[in-house]
Amino acid sequence: MKLTVVGCSGSFPSAESACSSYLVEADGFRLLLDMGNGALGELQRHCGLYDLDAIFLSHLHADHCIDMCAYFVARYYRHDGGRCDPIPVYGPEGTEQRLTTAYADTPSASSMSEVFDFHTVKPSSFEIGPFSVHTEKVSHPVEAYGIRVEHGGRSLTYSGDTGVCDSLDELARDTDLFLCEAAFTHGKENIPDLHLNGREAGETATRAGARRLVLTHIPPWTDPQENLDHARQAFTGPVELAAPRATYEI
C-alpha cells in the first residue's frame, strides 16, 4: 500500500496544509480517507478529479468532510464526459443528509446520491476494492469511526478524531503504520472523549504494539514539535509528524 498525506491540519487549514485527507493506493485502486477543508485542491496534486475509486469519511465535522460539497459540484456538473457515475462513499449514518444540508442548494433532495453511492458505516469488517477494512466507533462528541486498512499482509490504521478508548487500541493492534490524531497538548487541554494529545497518541501506540506512529490532525495553534516530543517519551518505535505531500510505502 501507498499512503499519501493530502492534508493533515486539525480543526481548520493552516498556511501549509489542508485539513484531514489521506490517499491510500494499491493495485491501481484509490481510497480517500476524509476530505476536509482545502483537501480537494490538494488532492489534484496526486490524482485526477475523477480517478478516486472510493471515499471513507470518519465523521461529519467540517474539517473531515466539507470538501465533499465541492467534489459534488465537480462530479454532478462535469461538462466533458457527462455526469459521473456514483462513487462509493462510506460514512456515518446521516452522511447524505449532512452534505445536502451543507451544500444548501442541490437541484433536488436526492442529487447527492446521483454521484455518491452512500454506505452507512458501523463497527464491522468489509471489503473496499482490494482492501480488507475494519471500522470501530471511537470516542468523539459525534458518531466517529477509526479504520484499519489491510492489503498484502500489511496494515494501516487511521484514528479519525478520538479521545482515549479501548476500541482504538484494538483497531491499531500490531498495525504497521498508525496514523493517529494528536490535536491536544499534554498538560494544556484536558477534555475527555474529544481528542488525543501527543503523549496519549504514543501511549496508545505502545498499548497496541504499533510498529510506526505518524501524528496528524495537529491544529495551527498547537506546537507540533512539543506533541512529537511527548509522543516519543511514550512510544519507543519510530514516530514522526505527518506533513502534506508526504508518502509512505506500507
Side-chain angles (χ1 to χ4, degrees):
M1 290 184 287
K2 178 183 178 182
L3 168 67
T4 301
V5 178
V6 178
C8 54
S9 185
S11 300
F12 57 95
S14 70
E16 292 79 27
S17 178
C19 284
S20 290
S21 191
Y22 312 93
L23 182 64
V24 185
E25 301 173 81
D27 296 347
F29 191 96
R30 295 180 174 94
L31 168 63
L32 191 70
L33 309 179
D34 284 340
M35 192 185 284
N37 317 39
L40 185 61
E42 288 298 315
L43 178 65
Q44 293 170 74
R45 297 180 184 273
H46 308 289
C47 73
L49 272 175
Y50 309 109
D51 293 336
L52 289 179
D53 296 292
I55 300 167
F56 169 83
L57 301 177
S58 63
H59 65 293
L60 300 178
H61 281 156
D63 57 329
H64 292 258
C65 73
I66 200 61
D67 266 27
M68 289 291 290
C69 291
Y71 196 41
F72 165 77
V73 173
R75 297 186 70 86
Y76 191 89
Y77 294 104
R78 183 177 68 163
H79 177 70
D80 294 332
R83 186 173 299 164
C84 294
D85 292 333
I87 181 176
V89 175
Y90 300 84
E93 187 171 357
T95 295
E96 179 179 4
Q97 292 81 2
R98 176 61 64 86
L99 295 178
T100 300
T101 300
Y103 188 84
D105 192 26
T106 55
S108 75
S110 61
S111 293
M112 284 279 176
S113 62
E114 294 182 43
V115 292
F116 298 139
D117 179 18
F118 291 101
H119 300 260
T120 299
V121 172
K122 295 295 181 185
S124 61
S125 298
F126 52 100
E127 306 295 317
I128 302 179
F131 302 113
S132 297
V133 306
H134 183 72
T135 53
E136 286 289 350
K137 193 173 182 181
V138 292
S139 296
H140 204 51
V142 300
E143 186 177 5
Y145 292 89
I147 185 170
R148 182 184 181 106
V149 182
E150 298 184 347
H151 177 74
R154 309 291 282 177
S155 62
L156 158 69
T157 300
Y158 169 48
S159 67
D161 280 9
T162 183
V164 176
C165 57
D166 292 341
S167 59
L168 182 60
D169 292 1
E170 289 306 312
L171 197 65
R173 183 73 57 201
D174 298 322
T175 195
D176 293 295
L177 191 149
F178 185 22
L179 181 64
C180 185
E181 75 118 287
F184 283 167
T185 303
H186 177 67
K188 180 181 177 183
E189 299 101 341
N190 184 23
I191 306 171
D193 302 321
L194 182 57
H195 290 296
L196 300 171
N197 59 46
R199 176 170 293 183
E200 289 168 336
E203 290 170 345
T204 300
T206 295
R207 288 193 300 271
R211 295 180 177 87
R212 185 178 188 181
L213 174 62
V214 178
L215 303 179
T216 193
H217 194 271
I218 299 178
W221 53 49
T222 296
D223 181 355
Q225 188 59 52
E226 185 173 0
N227 280 17
L228 179 63
D229 291 343
H230 289 162
R232 285 175 170 164
Q233 292 168 16
F235 178 65
T236 58
V239 189
E240 60 195 277
L241 297 168
R245 306 179 201 172
T247 60
Y248 302 87
E249 296 294 334
I250 304 170

